[in-house]
Amino acid sequence: MAKKYWLMKSEPDVFSIDDLKKIKRDLWDGVRNYQARNFMMREMKVGDEVLFYHSNTKLMGVYGLARISKEAVEDLTQFDKKSKYFDEKASPERPRWYCVEVEYKAHFDRPVSLQEIKETKALKDMLVIQKGQRLSIQPVTKKEFDIVCKMSKLP
DNA sequence: GCCAACGTTGGC
DNA sequence: GCCAACGTTGGC
């Protein structure tokens, strides 16, 4: 099975790549979108590489790398009444939401901003810059992944 | 803070 | 199964 590449969005006020670095690994819970869930459940494999993207912040863009360290397990926040991700339609007998575990890999030398991605012709097909694209987990081609990594390197 | 675009819900 | 109403996402 070939390795796959992903872009995962997070609001740094909620969970940033620095947070991930501190705790090394984290379950990517709280996803409540079926398309994003299906990527985690069906397509993400251990070892897949992840572009860690910060949204809703001053400088939006890709800040570093992570990798999938565990395939999808039940997202326990769906059963937790006190969690903001609680889903009353889910039950331990009929779970609805799943999440993968993500492991910190590295910070980029410098972030690759959304602006730069938009300005880079070779990245024009990246989902993150398509109009109206709100998916928090998106597939990325190896080519796009490599280009973004290259752009992050300081000269 | 605004609002366009999108996904989900629920009445019919 | 349609679609209006609503809630959310996320760039600006």
Side-chain angles (χ1 to χ4, degrees):
Chain A
M1 257 306 240
K3 189 159 55 166
K4 292 200 182 72
Y5 299 85
W6 307 94
L7 179 145
M8 296 174 88
K9 293 183 190 172
S10 186
E11 300 192 20
D13 290 347
V14 179
F15 188 77
S16 71
I17 189 166
D18 305 281
D19 296 327
L20 182 62
K21 184 178 185 180
K22 261 179 236 151
I23 61 176
K24 303 273 197 297
R25 293 164 171 233
D26 190 52
L27 287 173
W28 204 266
D29 54 15
V31 171
R32 294 294 179 268
N33 171 283
Y34 287 105
Q35 231 183 318
R37 180 204 68 175
N38 291 344
F39 283 138
M40 290 200 283
M41 271 176 79
R42 298 174 189 162
E43 303 210 33
M44 285 182 163
K45 302 287 180 212
V46 170
D48 282 3
E49 309 229 33
V50 175
L51 298 174
F52 199 116
Y53 179 91
H54 282 182
S55 65
N56 258 319
T57 184
K58 208 165 179 187
L59 203 169
M60 290 173 284
V62 180
Y63 277 70
L65 301 174
R67 64 186 275 282
I68 305 302
S69 50
K70 197 192 277 179
E71 277 156 39
V73 294
E74 287 175 24
D75 178 346
L76 295 177
T77 63
Q78 69 190 305
F79 311 129
D80 178 4
K81 278 206 171 109
K82 278 173 278 178
S83 168
K84 73 176 216 179
Y85 301 120
F86 175 67
D87 182 347
E88 58 177 11
K89 298 206 175 122
S91 65
E93 294 75 36
R94 301 195 67 176
R96 185 181 269 216
W97 304 109
Y98 291 79
C99 53
V100 292
E101 186 188 76
V102 169
E103 176 182 64
Y104 174 79
K105 196 167 164 194
H107 274 69
F108 277 168
D109 292 344
R110 61 174 199 92
V112 176
S113 71
L114 182 63
Q115 192 60 38
E116 286 175 85
I117 292 173
K118 283 182 176 165
E119 288 165 359
T120 304
K121 270 224 176 84
L123 298 178
K124 69 176 170 48
D125 293 327
M126 275 188 84
L127 291 176
V128 71
I129 53 170
Q130 304 311 310
K131 191 177 176 184
Q133 180 54 262
R134 299 184 315 178
L135 256 188
S136 62
I137 297 177
Q138 311 178 345
V140 168
T141 67
K142 177 169 187 346
K143 211 167 149 192
E144 290 162 350
F145 181 88
D146 289 342
I147 293 170
V148 172
C149 288
K150 207 167 169 189
M151 287 165 71
S152 75
K153 297 259 192 316
L154 291 171

